[in-house]
């Protein structure tokens, strides 16, 4: 019988817990020298949530407004013609973003059960609607219209009161149809009226009022980091903000910054290079293969299976990355059952195999030298192998025993498995009958190099 088994390996990263005495200048040369707080590298697994007015039409993707009115994609135009009156505007969706079933305590409990160590909630997507009562977004925020409540604040409180999860926020720098942004853009970004009156006031507001430990910036690609005043904001964030010692940011702060400047690198959506990187990175990916926002027209096959999700996860952490798995809540404020199932499955698996994940580092080999279905991590002198497919025995090319007393264990199962060395290198391991989780097994190597 073939089964997915996961081999997890972690490569060391210079991430420190610190109360920084360094003063950072508003330049990339200075800002890029800031160490990433160690909690982030140790966390490995986080949850992303795309939630906003786009959750009302819940058709196509969270880019619904742009695809309808900007790109004018026929499928979106036809959807509106077939289902809404001729004078219906995107703003008319906002009152239907009701969130009447939103229970932040139950969300927090689910995230805790998933084994995630951090989350990133949409504070504002490219549509400009804010999920908190922004004074810079009059009548286009979750208190003035729609839910009539502070969604960011309510979830932040529940996360902090009920879990040890690090609370983070997604924030889009630009807004598709904001007149101030469009005016700045028309002038070649030589003016910064939008940044001065909208983007930056809202970022400072989010930090000062909600104290997120992670800022997932986005919407940077049309203008430079100079236009966005990104370096000035980050210097304040690192030097003087209420989260200066613990906050983590990504790399999306200007059109030339991804995979080059900022905190950890995201490079592109669903970034998963498959090789060890020399800088901390994150694979922000979706459980719904086709969208970040909730879609009413999904098919069952559009969702990753738990085996596929774990395969992505172990590949990611073996190469030094974190995985940020996205879910799309509904306009009513519920988390669809398929997303809840995947998160609870992750938690069940991590509850058994967490020792190979949290705080691990990449090993000298990320992928096995002879078995492509095996990935590695290391921690505390032990090597961990995530085997994505196995039968009654598996052959591995990378592990080398240091003595005859070296042992191999199946985490959550039998210890001191039967094994024998292979020539010129590697081991053959016998896998005993196993009645536990078969999504992804993890082997612990003691006394191997």
């Amino acid at each position: 019988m073939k089964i997915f088994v996961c081999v997890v390996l972690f490569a060391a990263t210079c991430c420190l817990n610190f109360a920084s005495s360094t003063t950072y200048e508003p330049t990339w040369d200075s800002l890029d020298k800031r160490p990433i707080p160690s909690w982030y590298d140790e966390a490995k697994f986080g949850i992303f949530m795309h939630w906003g007015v786009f959750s009302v039409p819940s058709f196509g993707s969270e880019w619904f407004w742009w695809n309808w009115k900007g790109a004018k994609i026929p499928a979106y135009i036809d959807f509106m013609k077939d289902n809404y009156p001729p004078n219906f505007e995107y703003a008319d969706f906002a009152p239907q973003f009701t969130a009447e079933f939103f229970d932040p305590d139950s969300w927090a409990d689910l995230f805790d059960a998933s084994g995630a160590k951090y989350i990133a909630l949409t504070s504002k997507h490219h549509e400009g609607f804010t999920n908190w009562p922004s004074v810079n977004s009059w009548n286009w925020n979750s208190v003035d219209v729609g839910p009539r409540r502070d969604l960011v604040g309510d979830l932040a409180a529940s996360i902090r009161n009920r879990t040890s999860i690090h609370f983070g926020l997604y924030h889009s720098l630009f807004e598709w149809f904001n007149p101030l942004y469009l005016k700045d853009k028309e002038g070649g970004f030589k003016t910064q009226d939008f940044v001065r009156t909208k983007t930056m006031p809202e970022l400072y507001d989010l930090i000062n009022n909600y104290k997120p430990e992670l800022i997932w910036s986005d919407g940077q690609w049309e203008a430079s980091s100079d236009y966005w005043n990104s370096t000035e904001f980050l210097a304040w964030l690192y030097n003087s903000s209420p989260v200066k010692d613990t906050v983590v940011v990504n790399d999306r702060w200007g059109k030339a910054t991804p995979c080059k400047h900022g905190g950890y690198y995201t490079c592109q959506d669903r970034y998963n290079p498959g090789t060890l990187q020399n800088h901390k990175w994150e694979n922000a990916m979706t459980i719904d293969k086709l969208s970040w926002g909730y879609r009413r027209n999904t098919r069952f096959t559009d969702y990753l299976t738990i085996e596929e999700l774990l395969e992505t996860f172990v590949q990611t952490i073996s190469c030094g990355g974190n995985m940020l798995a996205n879910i799309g809540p509904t306009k009513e404020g519920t988390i669809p059952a398929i997303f809840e199932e995947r998160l609870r499955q992750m938690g069940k698996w991590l509850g058994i195999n967490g020792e190979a994940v949290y705080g691990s580092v990449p090993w000298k080999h990320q992928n096995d030298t002879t078995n492509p279905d095996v990935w590695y991590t290391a921690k505390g002198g032990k090597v961990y192998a995530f085997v994505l497919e196995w039968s009654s025995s598996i052959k591995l090319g990378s592990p080398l025993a240091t003595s005859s007393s070296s042992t191999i264990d199946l985490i959550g199962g039998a210890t001191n498995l039967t094994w024998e060395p292979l020539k010129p290198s590697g081991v053959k391991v016998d896998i005993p009958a196993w009645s536990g989780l078969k999504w992804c097994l993890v082997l612990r190597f003691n006394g191997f190099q």
Side-chain angles (χ1 to χ4, degrees):
M1 178 178 63
K2 293 183 177 180
I3 297 184
F4 284 99
V5 181
C6 304
V7 180
V8 181
L9 170 72
F10 171 94
T13 308
C14 291
C15 300
L16 307 174
N17 270 322
F18 64 99
S20 176
S21 59
T22 302
T23 298
Y24 296 96
E25 300 297 323
T27 65
W28 287 123
D29 183 62
S30 176
L31 297 168
D32 288 345
K33 290 182 173 65
R34 179 183 183 260
I36 298 174
S38 62
W39 73 258
Y40 177 78
D41 182 63
E42 294 166 0
K44 306 304 178 189
F45 176 48
I47 297 172
F48 215 173
M49 289 154 282
H50 276 65
W51 196 31
V53 173
F54 51 80
S55 304
V56 177
S58 50
F59 173 83
S61 82
E62 71 290 344
W63 278 54
F64 183 92
W65 194 6
W66 176 259
N67 291 338
W68 173 32
K69 291 293 189 178
K72 300 185 185 302
I73 296 176
Y76 290 80
I77 294 173
D78 292 343
F79 174 81
M80 291 305 298
K81 285 181 178 178
D82 293 343
N83 296 285
Y84 296 91
N87 60 346
F88 195 95
E89 297 294 337
Y90 189 78
D92 296 325
F93 283 123
Q96 300 176 39
F97 179 37
T98 50
E100 68 267 34
F101 298 129
F102 174 47
D103 180 356
D105 284 353
S106 69
W107 284 30
D109 292 346
L110 171 60
F111 301 154
D112 201 33
S114 77
K117 299 302 182 184
Y118 66 103
I119 65 166
L121 170 70
T122 304
S123 66
K124 183 193 76 170
H125 200 255
H126 314 321
E127 64 189 11
F129 186 91
T130 67
N131 282 333
W132 85 100
S134 169
V135 298
N136 304 99
S137 190
W138 179 81
N139 209 39
W140 195 232
N141 67 74
S142 64
V143 171
D144 288 347
V145 63
R148 303 288 179 178
R149 62 190 292 187
D150 182 353
L151 302 177
V152 170
D154 289 350
L155 184 59
S158 290
I159 289 292
R160 288 167 176 148
N161 290 338
R162 303 174 74 86
T163 78
S164 59
I165 292 172
H166 296 268
F167 180 75
L169 292 171
Y170 166 101
H171 174 269
S172 174
L173 295 173
F174 91 139
E175 298 172 16
W176 288 312
F177 300 112
N178 189 296
L180 291 175
Y181 177 73
L182 294 177
K183 183 179 178 182
D184 284 350
K185 180 179 178 180
E186 184 179 4
F189 297 111
K190 295 177 182 178
T191 58
Q192 295 175 291
D193 291 341
F194 176 72
V195 176
R196 178 176 52 82
T197 63
K198 190 69 163 66
T199 299
M200 281 301 148
E202 290 187 338
L203 273 173
Y204 283 94
D205 183 32
L206 286 169
I207 298 297
N208 285 319
N209 286 322
Y210 303 104
K211 300 175 178 58
E213 292 184 276
L214 183 143
I215 295 293
W216 213 99
S217 183
D218 196 19
Q220 82 296 338
W221 53 83
E222 292 187 339
S224 71
S225 60
D226 290 337
Y227 168 75
W228 294 118
N229 280 347
S230 296
T231 54
E232 285 80 4
F233 169 73
L234 292 174
W236 170 80
L237 187 69
Y238 294 167
N239 294 327
S240 306
S241 78
V243 290
K244 62 185 178 67
D245 294 327
T246 58
V247 72
V248 176
V249 303
N250 66 351
D251 56 348
R252 301 188 184 192
W253 297 99
K255 63 182 180 181
T257 65
C259 238
K260 185 176 181 182
H261 294 303
Y264 63 87
Y265 292 168
T266 61
C267 301
Q268 62 192 34
D269 292 350
R270 303 177 180 86
Y271 179 64
N272 191 11
T275 57
L276 183 63
Q277 302 298 294
N278 60 12
H279 189 93
K280 185 62 188 180
W281 61 280
E282 180 182 76
N283 180 0
M285 47 74 69
T286 58
I287 295 175
D288 174 353
K289 302 172 190 176
L290 303 178
S291 176
W292 300 83
Y294 171 66
R295 296 184 300 137
R296 287 179 290 160
N297 59 329
T298 51
R299 298 170 299 173
F300 181 75
T301 53
D302 291 339
Y303 297 102
L304 294 177
T305 65
I306 185 57
E307 291 86 358
E308 291 170 327
L309 189 59
L310 284 170
E311 180 177 7
T312 299
F313 182 54
V314 301
Q315 289 174 352
T316 297
I317 64 174
S318 73
C319 297
N322 282 16
M323 187 178 80
L324 186 64
N326 181 80
I327 63 172
T330 69
K331 70 182 182 67
E332 294 87 4
T334 62
I335 294 174
I338 190 72
F339 291 132
E340 179 175 353
E341 180 183 54
R342 291 294 174 272
L343 294 182
R344 292 194 183 279
Q345 287 172 327
M346 282 293 295
K348 191 173 183 180
W349 183 85
L350 284 165
I352 296 170
N353 300 298
E355 72 169 84
V357 174
Y358 304 122
S360 66
V361 296
W363 190 42
K364 64 181 180 180
H365 297 282
Q366 285 70 66
N367 200 192
D368 189 71
T369 54
T370 61
N371 189 331
D373 294 316
V374 176
W375 297 81
Y376 295 98
T377 61
K379 185 173 71 174
K382 297 178 174 59
V383 175
Y384 297 94
F386 299 82
V387 187
L388 294 171
E389 190 172 334
W390 89 92
S391 55
S392 59
S393 68
I394 58 171
K395 294 181 179 179
L396 306 174
S398 298
L400 299 174
T402 58
S403 73
S404 59
S405 61
S406 298
T407 62
I408 303 174
D409 306 319
L410 173 61
I411 296 182
T415 59
N416 202 13
L417 303 182
T418 301
W419 64 275
E420 61 183 83
L422 299 176
K423 294 183 179 181
S425 64
V427 294
K428 175 179 175 290
V429 186
D430 291 338
I431 304 297
W434 173 241
S435 59
L437 294 181
K438 294 180 171 60
W439 304 322
C440 174
L441 299 188
V442 184
L443 303 177
R444 181 198 302 118
F445 290 78
N446 309 285
F448 283 77
Q449 64 181 17

